[in-house]
Amino acid sequence: MLDLDSGRPRRVQDGHPSTAGGPVIADGRVLRDPDGAEVRLHVDQLEVSPDGRWLYYQPASGGMSRIATRWLDDPSVTADEMARRVEWWCDTPSTGGTAIDATGTIYLSDLERRRVLVLAPDRSVRTLVADPRLAWVDAMWLDADARLWMPAAQLHLTAGLNGGHQAVDYPVQIYRMPVDTGPPARDHT
């Protein structure tokens, strides 16, 4: 956490199980670093609800949790108390990127199956789009015209995540498609 008024950082949820990543799976295989070790990416995706009340987060290996932002905002809350406030939200796959719309719907990439999923506020999940070109969609963005931008970054084919072998098919592509709702107002102010 960074206190914007003071400029002082503060670590929260350090070591909490919801922040620790397991093996990342893309295209049906566990990713490995150049030395052959399993790649584990800890908390990587972060989304704040449109009303600012909830932080949704997950490691790249999946498993989304949430916590009320009021617990994160209060420096007097102990680590144990904060840990008790974490809520399991949804069993998600290995994910490269997320975006949240004005209704609180979260879009998340599925690295295992080259698709983008829609996680509704009621926790229901559906497939928005599946396409072989959606190779490690990362850093998704909703624009003011309710279009979802999906960079197919192919990170799992970089040497660092592919056992030391570079296999990215350049140029890297960015796709976009219309969705029902645009971004939260606080996201584009």
Side-chain angles (χ1 to χ4, degrees):
M1 299 286 301
L2 177 65
D3 183 323
L4 294 177
D5 293 329
S6 70
R8 284 184 237 131
R10 181 170 56 91
R11 286 188 73 88
V12 295
Q13 294 184 287
D14 197 19
H16 190 274
S18 66
T19 66
V24 179
I25 300 171
D27 289 350
R29 66 179 175 84
V30 173
L31 302 186
R32 303 213 173 261
D33 69 17
D35 295 325
E38 288 181 351
V39 172
R40 294 175 182 254
L41 304 172
H42 302 299
V43 167
D44 188 47
Q45 285 79 36
L46 304 164
E47 297 296 340
V48 176
S49 63
D51 61 8
R53 292 184 55 220
W54 296 98
L55 172 69
Y56 297 89
Y57 64 94
Q58 73 172 57
S61 56
M64 186 173 287
S65 298
R66 77 176 190 171
I67 188 169
T69 55
R70 69 185 176 119
W71 302 114
L72 299 170
D73 290 340
D74 185 350
S76 70
V77 174
T78 67
D80 288 341
E81 176 67 15
M82 193 170 304
R84 287 192 296 276
R85 300 301 179 171
V86 172
E87 297 178 22
W88 175 257
W89 190 246
C90 187
D91 185 19
T92 55
S94 290
T95 302
T98 57
I100 193 166
D101 73 17
T103 69
T105 296
I106 298 172
Y107 300 85
L108 59 119
S109 65
D110 178 349
L111 304 180
E112 298 177 42
R113 294 173 191 88
R114 293 193 182 200
R115 62 186 181 166
V116 173
L117 303 174
V118 177
L119 171 55
D122 68 2
R123 299 187 198 192
S124 63
V125 179
R126 68 178 173 84
T127 299
L128 175 69
V129 61
D131 190 292
R133 297 173 291 181
L134 297 177
W136 194 300
V137 170
D138 194 14
M140 286 187 283
W141 179 254
L142 280 165
D143 69 21
D145 295 321
R147 293 177 298 192
L148 180 65
W149 291 71
M150 302 168 285
Q154 302 177 61
L155 293 179
H156 64 302
L157 300 176
T158 62
L161 301 178
N162 193 30
H165 304 287
Q166 177 73 358
V168 174
D169 182 19
Y170 290 102
V172 171
Q173 302 293 316
I174 300 174
Y175 301 98
R176 72 176 182 201
M177 66 180 291
V179 292
D180 294 333
T181 307
R186 71 175 54 237
D187 197 272
H188 285 249
T189 56

